[in-house]
């Protein structure tokens, strides 16, 4: 069986790690802009619920998981192992971590044995009070219907 590594990382911390497949999760709403979620990580249930509540989450993740389930056996047949799959977001603490954990669970349920590495999980959240950040927070709140 193909050795699979699932990685999460922060775009703000430099170049993405080398990976066979890399996915940008910055299209999902960002828990960083929610005061009660900022200090938490993608391993916390409330953060996961917030991310999974994004209208784009279900179809996007189903597409990624479907592609992985189709491609991983092909990598194995072609002798291209190990395989690494990376998920990135801005700070590497919320969206990329949650999606990496979620996808790894789905792969385990399908009979794979991925390992998980969170490159930037220990990086403390930055309190950025910029116009862009405030605008994104407002967009997230409008998206939620709050």
């Amino acid at each position: 069986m193909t050795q699979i590594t699932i990685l999460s990382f922060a775009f703000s911390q430099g170049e993405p790690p080398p990976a066979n497949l890399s996915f940008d999760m910055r299209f999902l709403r960002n828990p960083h802009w929610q005061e009660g979620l900022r200090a938490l990580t993608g391993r916390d249930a409330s953060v996961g619920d917030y991310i999974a509540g994004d209208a784009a989450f279900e179809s996007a993740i189903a597409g990624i998981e479907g592609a992985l389930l189709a491609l991983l056996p092909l990598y194995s047949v072609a002798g291209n192992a190990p395989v690494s799959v990376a998920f990135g977001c801005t700070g590497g603490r919320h969206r990329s971590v949650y999606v990496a954990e979620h996808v790894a669970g789905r792969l385990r349920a399908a009979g794979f044995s991925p390992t998980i590495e969170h490159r930037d999980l220990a990086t403390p959240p930055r309190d950025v009070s910029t116009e862009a950040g405030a605008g994104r927070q407002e967009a997230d709140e409008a998206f939620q219907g709050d």
Side-chain angles (χ1 to χ4, degrees):
M1 175 137 326
T2 301
Q3 178 186 351
I4 303 165
T5 303
I6 307 292
L7 308 160
S8 73
F9 69 94
F11 283 101
S12 65
Q13 298 299 317
E15 290 293 315
N20 298 90
L21 301 164
S22 186
F23 299 93
D24 183 344
M25 297 291 102
R26 292 177 290 184
F27 66 90
L28 295 170
R29 61 186 177 174
N30 190 350
H32 177 83
W33 300 115
Q34 301 301 308
E35 194 63 40
L37 302 178
R38 182 174 300 152
L40 303 176
T41 74
R43 289 181 165 167
D44 292 297
S46 56
V47 170
D49 291 345
Y50 180 80
I51 295 167
D54 188 310
F57 179 83
E58 190 173 324
S59 63
I61 300 307
I64 291 169
E65 290 171 347
L68 292 175
L69 292 172
L71 293 173
L72 291 173
L74 299 176
Y75 277 102
S76 182
V77 168
N80 295 326
V83 176
S84 58
V85 180
F87 295 96
C89 66
T90 305
R93 295 178 37 82
H94 298 111
R95 295 168 290 183
S96 62
V97 170
Y98 177 72
V99 172
E101 295 281 346
H102 181 86
V103 170
R106 176 68 174 97
L107 293 177
R108 284 188 191 102
F112 295 95
S113 299
T115 58
I116 301 176
E117 296 176 13
H118 298 295
R119 185 184 81 180
D120 302 309
L121 182 61
T123 304
R126 290 191 212 163
D127 287 330
V128 180
S129 298
T130 65
E131 267 184 54
R136 178 60 190 164
Q137 179 180 8
E138 290 168 9
D140 283 349
E141 289 170 357
F143 181 77
Q144 293 175 30
D146 290 345

